[in-house]
Amino acid sequence: MATEAKRVTDIGPPHFEKFLHPIIKENYGQWKFHDSLGPGLLSHTGPNGTIYSVRMSSPRLVSSNFLRMVCDLAEKYCDGYFRFTSRNNVEFLLANKDNIDPLVKEINEHGQLVGGTDNSISNIVHTQGWVHCHSSATDASGLVKVVMDELSDYFTEQKLPHKLRIAVACCLNMCGAVHASDIAILGLHRTPPRVDSDTLPNLCEIPTTVASCPNNAIRPTSVEGKTTVKVDEEKCMYCGNCFTVCPAMPLADPLNDGVSIWVGGKISNARTEPMFTKLAIPYLPNNPPRWPEVTDAVKNIVELYAANARPFERVGEWINRIGWERFFDMTGIEFTKYHLDDFRHAGTTYRRSLHNRY
Amino acid sequence: MATEAKRVTDIGPPHFEKFLHPIIKENYGQWKFHDSLGPGLLSHTGPNGTIYSVRMSSPRLVSSNFLRMVCDLAEKYCDGYFRFTSRNNVEFLLANKDNIDPLVKEINEHGQLVGGTDNSISNIVHTQGWVHCHSSATDASGLVKVVMDELSDYFTEQKLPHKLRIAVACCLNMCGAVHASDIAILGLHRTPPRVDSDTLPNLCEIPTTVASCPNNAIRPTSVEGKTTVKVDEEKCMYCGNCFTVCPAMPLADPLNDGVSIWVGGKISNARTEPMFTKLAIPYLPNNPPRWPEVTDAVKNIVELYAANARPFERVGEWINRIGWERFFDMTGIEFTKYHLDDFRHAGTTYRRSLHNRY
Amino acid sequence: MADDLKTPLLDELEKGPWPSFVTDIKTLADKSEMAKDLLRQLEKSYEDKRGYWKHGGLVGVMGYGGGVIGRYSALPEEFPGVSHFHTVRVNQPSGWFYTSDALREIIDIWDEHGSGLYNMHGSTGDMVLLGTRTEELEPTFRALTEKGWDLGGSGSDLRTPSNCVGPARCENACFDTMEMAYKITHRYQDELHRPMFNYKYKIKMSGCPNDCTAAIARSDMALIGIWKDDIKVDQAEFAKYLDDGFNVQEFVVDKCPTGCIAVEGKQINIDNSNCVKCMHCINRMPHALSVGDEKGFAINLGAKAPIVEGALFASVIVPFMSIEDYKDEDSYEEFHDLLERIWEFWDEHGTSRERIGEFIERVSLATFLEGIGVEPSPKQVKAPRDNPYIFYEEYYAEEGEG
Amino acid sequence: MADDLKTPLLDELEKGPWPSFVTDIKTLADKSEMAKDLLRQLEKSYEDKRGYWKHGGLVGVMGYGGGVIGRYSALPEEFPGVSHFHTVRVNQPSGWFYTSDALREIIDIWDEHGSGLYNMHGSTGDMVLLGTRTEELEPTFRALTEKGWDLGGSGSDLRTPSNCVGPARCENACFDTMEMAYKITHRYQDELHRPMFNYKYKIKMSGCPNDCTAAIARSDMALIGIWKDDIKVDQAEFAKYLDDGFNVQEFVVDKCPTGCIAVEGKQINIDNSNCVKCMHCINRMPHALSVGDEKGFAINLGAKAPIVEGALFASVIVPFMSIEDYKDEDSYEEFHDLLERIWEFWDEHGTSRERIGEFIERVSLATFLEGIGVEPSPKQVKAPRDNPYIFYEEYYAEEGEG
Ligand code: SRM
Ligand code: SRM
Ligand code: SRM
Ligand code: SRM
Ligand code: SF4
Ligand code: SF4
Ligand code: SF4
Ligand code: SF4
Ligand code: SF4
Ligand code: SF4
Ligand code: SF4
Ligand code: SF4
């Protein structure tokens, strides 16, 4: 492809209007209601007709071949119109209800799944992992695959009390929704950065590096006459912020890097205000390729939620209703000192009342 | 009275048993239930009988004559038995129900009131004020008197949705329950301490003085060769902690000292967890002897609470139900930047959701 | 009334239905120069809108470091009666129970040695004998001890523990607040009278979560009664509430914080596994419901007023403890051991003027629990941490390395 | 499949019902050295339990400071195909709507200039074209712009705003998320492409409080749809829910956070003055209930992940704003003015790598509001302050003094 034309910049994205299905254009801003037609199937109705959506899974990390398959299906059933969701599923947009079944069938033939709507587990929001990021304490795509293998029924069926949203992030930067998910899987380092004092003076600015540490664990020092930094290992909580600004302070440590499990966050304002995800399991080992400890832990929580929560109760709402003590009892997860907050506003998490279940 | 006997120390208080009414002794730890017999009147019943309590107001700051009056009444109606409550009321403890009416009558003849139980306003927990404390930004006993003059009906009748508890403190040390009361009146200074560098070097330890400031507003300095301190007036929030450790830093300022009004705190675990009192009115002037701005403000809040809260809803629970925006609307109190927290955990008070009433 | 007592501003406080402290103090003004000059100085404060007391002053009784608050007028020439006006704090008896005989002893002593004025009681709980001269302190003390009374605390010491009426007149009491307050006060006489802590240490005891002594808001150590088993129900009495037209649905069921009450027919059913012991249903229907049988108390630490890090409610450290026999000193061993470990750890690692609540926040709850040998429990927190900044203590090392 | 592609560990990820990224990438392994060596390096990561990427790297396209994430293999000799493996972030269209024609343009470009691998989409919302060499960056950019596509953000710049499907396919949309995202992205091209802020600035738009883009958790500026008047009710449709046996009491009434719904007979009554617009009742009964007519959005600022001060949700700054005509650039004046005042104030007083949420917490909400010229409102806080540390700015001075 020749690119000899005049170089243009700052053109921004194309206007979306040309990507909108005619039925969508005609009902734009005037939709009346939607209906759920089954797992992965929605219809939205406005004064000028109904549009059908078929939601298909996606590993998000995809190849041209995957996207071509999407285009092919869209052309065959949807006049070429489709979209992606905020959780990286594909939504085919159909004018004709009769096209739903053949489309679903063909999607399945491609080894893809239809689902993720309503009271189901939708796609896992995730990050780069060992596939692309220098910071990662675990892989992301692989974790998503093994966890969703265990939970795919909950994607293709709507058998949960309510929506359940899972996120994976591969380090504490949390490029995703880990801090506000029903269940989150977070990769973490557990040992302080190793300072490479040979390269550090050239690669990093000392004041920026020192300032990067949330816990004041980094101090300037001098090694063989060169100014570098040293880490107070007692104070380091392995957050990796120093590594972000200074490449000479890597944290990766195959023996100790691993995964933590978090529960009970939510984003929507429905019923309760948004809630942060809370620590459930401080550490599970990195055990690729299938991380059995992680999949077991997540499945255990999902199944207890499925069996015990009330209709339209999110994971965090369920736990708040039964109490954290019962959550730890039911899941068999050990409550340790690591669960007790010790950061900035730790005091606000202490139980300052008599409200307790015995 | 001669005190020639051997000096004894560390004897502690007398054992309470000798102060207990025989009916109390017999039912000790075995009480079955209580009944409310009207404002200020309670009965408690156990397997071995019933004890009647008549609750009488008290200014708390009292003279020997007041206490002699209490003793006289107790001897006449209660075999000499009585107690004080945790809110400084007097409780006469009667074996004989028939003694209630005559006792109440005689109490009233002494200019005292009976009430404070159940859904009423009980006595105001308060502090020393200009009567005894060097720190005070307002008087305490006087404020209590003028506020209770306005509200005495709510003491002698049970016409509120639920208990309403008021506290007064005369400075930020808050020697009382100001931080957890339905309504609180808090005296405050509003100008930085004036450093008396003549006396300071003799009276105060510089490091302790510097360390006392929660906002690092105090720095050592030197005036005419003597080491003293200076206050960064931008950073000072008039808390008075420096004055507590260093007498040479008085804050009293007749022009600016005054009173603030706080609402919505509670202590009990009933229904909701304990709650801190929140700022309603940042400043009202000290206007002795009857502080009309303060009594108006408090009465306004009490009357709105009385008219609008649901049964068994405390002030804070009522406000939480209707929302703070409505509270400010209803009371006509202006919402200002002073209401926005800017101390340690200020961020945790920001509204981090979409939950708002319009 | 003394001729020279002109208090036009204070006189305004003699009006109105609420009993007037001015009127009351005036009854002493003839007999007591102190009372009279207190009113006169107060009148000046009302005129000038400021107090006229000097800051503190180290006075006390022999061998005691606390119990007296020194106070001097800033205008001793003008108001000689209150040139000294020290406060004597006296231990109240458990639950503030008195007989007239006992109180008269105090009155007589204070009429002789002091101003004849009191706070009944101070916010911490003591009898506060308000105003005397330095030279009267020791005689007052002698007179008090002779009658069996002793001083309370002040400064960096244990303060007089205080307690709700509890088993003495309340069906909700889950532990013997009266006896326990007595036992603690007596056991720790030295800690009460000789300030050696980092800062003050207040203990309050409430027999149940209604917390009628405000322990959770105002004491470094709050002992608050609680039970572990089921709420006791008298179904016949419950039916009476319904029959009497009491709106159980709106006033009880709908207000239960965990929604764990159901009414079926004339029967109340409580899902006790989800009850958080808030007391509301019991409060509303004392004839029908009462606290369980397996009773004890929770230990919450760290309440305080805002100075300096902001106000704190006390937080759960030991969710449940019980004492076999409150009358038996030996039964308290577990409690005393714990309290002493707490004091030791605070003493060793706390800083001067650092209350225990601020101390726990500074060193972190996990460290504090480890320091005093208490196991972590979900009952100590509202929820587990939401930030990922975890200090791991166990990690793997290369073989040969470690 | 290429002979030398031995990935026994990754092959385990081809099992199971969920679509496998390994299987998918393998379909490219014959054509693309990059895809193949990515799998080979990943296999090594799976063996060794660690990543093999070098830290960052400053690469990009001419005149742009963002949009490309530089990435190099730490083992370039072993995996030459990914010795360079830079990411190109491309602005997604509003609401992630595509036609197959449009997407095929991208696919063709990336097959030619890059690895043929993507994240559809990145967490911020961009199309993420995953992996190419430095020398291909400029050609990729040229090819993209020729087809009307442009780069997204990275570094300390405005990131591509993203938005929920909103008016394009949702009855709940309270504002035109689609058009507004487009307008903002176009207006602030400079801010997007040339990082000059203290740190990144993300804008996300959700058409209603369901917040389907997680704006409140993941954007420095969250625009979230809201309405001011009453929820619209179709009583006939409501009756159908009852008739169909839907448990309105348990699933709706009991779950309303402010208890402001009452059902009388077949009629639903909402006390709208107490409704907090949580959406739950509307979500449960979309045929009967819908958002009001007086629609707009709230502006919440400051969400972010935990690094460094702990995670934040965005907090209310402007409780309600509306735009007359979303298609008309002039209608946005109030919004743009505000946004520019925000950036200016943050720029002037913020520090490097300080997100706006942390900035607001540091300078305090009151100062921030004053700085950007927004009035304080109880809607900005959960509750007023509970500590008494108030900085008064107005006070009285002696006459003659001031
Ligand atoms: C397509 C999508 C918007 C988009 O622009 O892409 C979308 C679309 C709808 N959402 Fe959503 N939501 C979408 C992401 C979200 C997110 C964001 C996320 O998960 O990261 C949230 C916040 C999640 C959270 O709280 O943690 C979200 C919270 C909701 C809720 C609130 C659920 C609750 O009660 O907490 C509803 C209402 C409901 O389900 O009752 C809702 C309802 C809806 C409705 C029914 C709105 C409508 O009337 O059309 C749509 C179909 C929902 C369904 O899947 O059953 N949508 N929705 C997103 C689909 C993601 C996916 O592929 O699964
Ligand atoms: C006598 C006293 C205890 C003592 O040892 O002195 C006491 C005694 C009783 N309290 Fe109390 N409370 C006493 C101070 C308190 C306090 C402390 C305070 O106010 O500083 C509280 C916490 C207040 C708060 O939450 O801010 C307190 C919160 C309660 C509650 C919880 C109310 C609520 O729903 O929030 C109840 C139960 C109720 O009233 O429903 C209660 C109930 C009771 C009962 C009914 C208990 C019983 O069965 O005997 C007693 C009679 C109450 C009444 O006045 O109607 N008591 N009660 C105190 C009387 C003070 C006074 O003179 O007014
Ligand atoms: C007398 C009393 C007020 C009253 O009118 O009842 C009182 C009076 C004083 N308190 Fe207090 N406090 C009194 C109960 C309280 C309480 C309430 C309580 O104990 O339940 C509190 C709040 C709870 C707490 O402990 O935090 C309280 C919090 C303070 C503080 C702030 C301490 C803090 O850590 O935030 C100070 C300042 C200090 O300790 O230096 C203080 C300091 C003082 C001093 C000693 C003034 C000073 O700066 O040195 C006051 C002497 C006044 C005087 O001239 O008599 N007082 N003080 C109360 C003690 C009487 C008694 O023994 O029964
Ligand atoms: C690609 C992407 C993850 C993904 O797989 O989707 C990503 C990838 C990176 N993020 Fe991110 N972030 C991505 C969305 C996010 C999000 C989610 C969001 O935007 O909704 C967050 C959390 C929300 C937030 O902004 O706080 C996020 C929080 C971070 C942080 C922590 C920032 C903070 O203030 O706490 C960092 C560290 C930093 O900025 O230095 C970071 C840094 C990074 C860097 C640039 C690594 C670094 O240290 O320099 C990663 C490059 C990975 C790579 O090799 O490609 N990334 N990052 C997302 C961007 C794609 C896109 O443009 O669409
Ligand atoms: S979460 Fe960490 S490791 Fe994962 S993509 Fe983001 S910055 Fe990289
Ligand atoms: S990893 Fe985090 S805590 Fe440890 S030194 Fe680096 S910045 Fe500081
Ligand atoms: S609140 Fe302040 S002024 Fe009042 S008694 Fe306590 S220390 Fe003194
Ligand atoms: S009054 Fe408080 S804030 Fe002001 S200087 Fe003194 S200690 Fe600091
Ligand atoms: S705290 Fe409980 S036990 Fe004590 S008096 Fe109050 S209600 Fe009774
Ligand atoms: S004590 Fe409170 S939580 Fe327990 S059942 Fe009664 S109202 Fe519910
Ligand atoms: S945020 Fe609201 S308007 Fe947008 S898609 Fe979700 S439900 Fe619809
Ligand atoms: S939107 Fe939420 S708060 Fe409003 S009426 Fe419906 S359920 Fe209640």
Side-chain angles (χ1 to χ4, degrees), chain C residues 164-166 170-174 206-213 279 283:
Chain C
C164 81
V165 66
C170 185
E171 69 273 19
N172 299 327
C174 296
S206 289
C208 81
N210 280 333
D211 196 0
C212 296
T213 60
M279 291 297 298
N283 289 336

Side-chain angles (χ1 to χ4, degrees), chain C residues 157-172:
Chain C
D157 61 4
L158 171 67
R159 302 305 179 85
T160 314
S162 80
N163 65 285
C164 81
V165 66
R169 203 209 48 196
C170 185
E171 69 273 19
N172 299 327

Side-chain angles (χ1 to χ4, degrees), chain D residues 154-165:
Chain D
S154 68
S156 295
D157 61 5
L158 172 66
R159 302 305 179 85
T160 313
S162 78
N163 66 282
C164 81
V165 65

